[in-house]
Amino acid sequence: MTIYIFKRLLLIIPTLFLIILVNFLVIQIAPGGPVEQAVERAKYSGVSELGSVGGLGPAISSNNNSSYEGARGMSPQMLAQIKTQYGFDHSTSERFWIMLKGYAQFDFGTSFFKGKAVLELMKERFPVTLSLGLWGTLIIYLISIPLGIRKAQQHGAAFDHWTAFFLVLGYAVPVFIFAILLIVFFSGGSYLQWFPLQGLVSDNFDQLSLFNKIKDYMWHMTLPLIAMTAGGFAKLTYLTKFSFLEELNKPYVLAARAKGLTANRVLYGHVFRNAILVIIAGLPDALLAVFLVGNFLIEIIFNLNGIGLLGFEAIQQRDYPVIFGTLFIYTLVGMLLRLISDVLYRLIDSRIDFDQRESI
């Protein structure tokens, strides 16, 4: 197992390198980079000083085209200053090398438009994303696993059929549609105004008592969590159901029942350990789905200052250091989560041997 973990950790390095390289090359041909935007702002505002133009901090990647449409009427000196400020006075290979050296030290550069280091921005936004992701994943698992077990026990019965309708309905409605519907009906859109429209806490949050702070936080979290988790039940519920259903039909379960063991003793003493393996294997994917897809859309719709909203703003502004920084972190976390999933597989079932599998 140690050799397997070591190989997987080593594999992270070339994987991250290829992802950075591909995205860097794509950016080189993408029009409308931060320099072009800064030139346009300078052109229409009529400023003559660099400080009034735009970006803050060195650039690590963007279109290096020397002829910008917005540069007409701008002095060559000011255009050169803008390129230098964004780091575009270096060649493409030099910018890529600077980026790699920074990423090796977890230095993702400085945001073009926010005037802060990318890592600092991510640290500021991370608690919101983490809060949404952990609460969402916890709620999904707390409901899906018991529901899936119950559906397996009552396979083909009325309970199995009518719960299937609601699961399919929740899975079929996209996250953003469900979020908008919740806002319309419960957040003052057209009907009721039971919950706040946006934000994670109220403006007077610092003046509230501890109990009222918790109450205010949960009040703001209600609609985002409902929207984020509504469509996440179906996949995990059916994964749990069919995993347990498969185990319940195996010979060792029939033997345990023949010995006179109760249904709960058979289920939780014998079946649970084997059936839960598939569910544990899906935990990294569930976490990534909540963090990457659910959080991204929910943070935008409910205006929650998390990493998802930060990435969306960066895409709009062509803030490449922020885009690459968030992509790098998400990729790294995703690969580590999948490695943790494999380790948990081995701890739960000693029959699994990754080292022997690779040697075959």
Side-chain angles (χ1 to χ4, degrees):
M1 189 64 180
T2 304
I3 297 175
Y4 175 77
I5 294 175
F6 181 71
K7 289 180 179 179
R8 286 286 297 270
L9 290 175
L10 286 181
L11 187 62
I12 290 176
I13 299 175
T15 303
L16 289 173
F17 174 80
L18 288 175
I19 290 174
I20 294 172
L21 177 62
V22 170
N23 283 275
F24 180 88
L25 295 176
V26 170
I27 290 301
Q28 304 312 302
I29 59 176
V35 172
E36 292 170 310
Q37 295 184 29
V39 170
E40 286 292 332
R41 287 194 297 272
K43 172 185 174 183
Y44 289 110
S45 61
V47 298
S48 59
E49 296 182 3
L50 181 60
S52 304
V53 174
L56 297 167
I60 54 176
S61 62
S62 184
N63 192 323
N64 196 29
N65 189 358
S66 60
S67 59
Y68 297 95
E69 292 295 332
R72 296 174 183 174
M74 178 177 289
S75 66
Q77 293 80 8
M78 187 172 181
L79 182 59
Q81 277 185 293
I82 294 175
K83 291 182 180 179
T84 301
Q85 185 173 358
Y86 281 106
F88 299 149
D89 52 334
H90 300 289
S91 65
T92 303
S93 58
E94 288 176 332
R95 292 201 309 278
F96 185 66
W97 176 244
I98 292 171
M99 182 174 67
L100 287 181
K101 289 194 296 184
Y103 277 34
Q105 305 171 36
F106 282 86
D107 179 9
F108 306 118
T110 305
S111 170
F112 291 156
F113 303 101
K114 298 184 184 299
K116 289 184 178 180
V118 174
L119 196 58
E120 183 180 350
L121 287 171
M122 294 179 67
K123 287 180 179 178
E124 292 176 356
R125 304 289 188 97
F126 183 70
V128 176
T129 298
L130 181 65
S131 178
L132 282 170
L134 291 181
W135 278 114
T137 305
L138 179 62
I139 293 172
I140 289 174
Y141 268 74
L142 286 177
I143 296 177
S144 295
I145 293 178
L147 180 59
I149 295 174
R150 182 75 181 278
K151 286 175 68 66
Q153 290 177 309
Q154 300 190 24
H155 178 64
F159 176 83
D160 187 33
H161 290 303
W162 68 259
T163 53
F165 170 77
F166 291 102
L167 289 172
V168 171
L169 181 64
Y171 187 75
V173 179
V175 173
F176 68 94
I177 295 294
F178 199 68
I180 294 173
L181 289 175
L182 289 175
I183 291 174
V184 171
F185 283 99
F186 300 108
S187 191
S190 298
Y191 299 93
L192 304 173
Q193 194 168 0
W194 290 353
F195 299 97
L197 179 61
Q198 60 182 3
L200 197 60
V201 294
S202 300
D203 295 335
N204 63 336
F205 183 78
D206 294 333
Q207 285 75 43
L208 299 176
S209 63
L210 178 60
F211 175 77
N212 287 327
K213 282 183 178 180
I214 297 174
K215 181 180 177 181
D216 182 77
Y217 169 75
M218 296 307 298
W219 183 48
H220 283 78
M221 286 281 285
T222 301
L223 292 187
L225 285 177
I226 292 175
M228 188 166 58
T229 59
F233 295 123
K235 182 178 180 181
L236 183 59
T237 299
Y238 277 109
L239 181 66
T240 303
K241 174 188 173 180
F242 289 112
S243 177
F244 276 80
L245 199 59
E246 181 182 2
E247 293 295 324
L248 287 171
N249 292 323
K250 288 187 176 179
Y252 77 89
V253 175
L254 298 177
R257 288 173 177 170
K259 292 179 180 179
L261 297 180
T262 63
N264 285 338
R265 182 71 182 276
V266 173
L267 180 65
Y268 296 105
H270 295 76
V271 175
F272 190 85
R273 182 179 178 180
N274 296 324
I276 205 69
L277 281 173
V278 178
I279 301 169
I280 291 176
L283 180 59
D285 289 333
L287 286 171
L288 288 176
V290 172
F291 276 95
L292 290 178
V293 180
N295 273 3
F296 182 79
L297 295 172
I298 295 301
E299 288 175 10
I300 294 171
I301 294 172
F302 289 96
N303 194 28
L304 303 176
N305 287 322
I307 296 179
L309 183 60
L310 176 66
F312 177 73
E313 293 171 346
I315 293 172
Q316 286 184 313
Q317 298 172 334
R318 302 297 177 90
D319 199 341
Y320 296 128
V322 176
I323 295 174
F324 280 130
T326 53
L327 176 65
F328 181 90
I329 292 298
Y330 274 131
T331 305
L332 178 61
V333 170
M335 289 188 290
L336 291 176
L337 284 174
R338 287 188 170 89
L339 177 58
I340 292 172
S341 174
D342 290 344
V343 174
L344 290 175
Y345 247 129
R346 181 67 175 84
L347 293 176
I348 292 175
D349 192 344
S350 58
R351 296 172 298 176
I352 299 175
D353 191 344
F354 292 104
D355 295 331
Q356 184 177 3
R357 186 189 67 179
E358 289 193 343
S359 62
I360 295 177

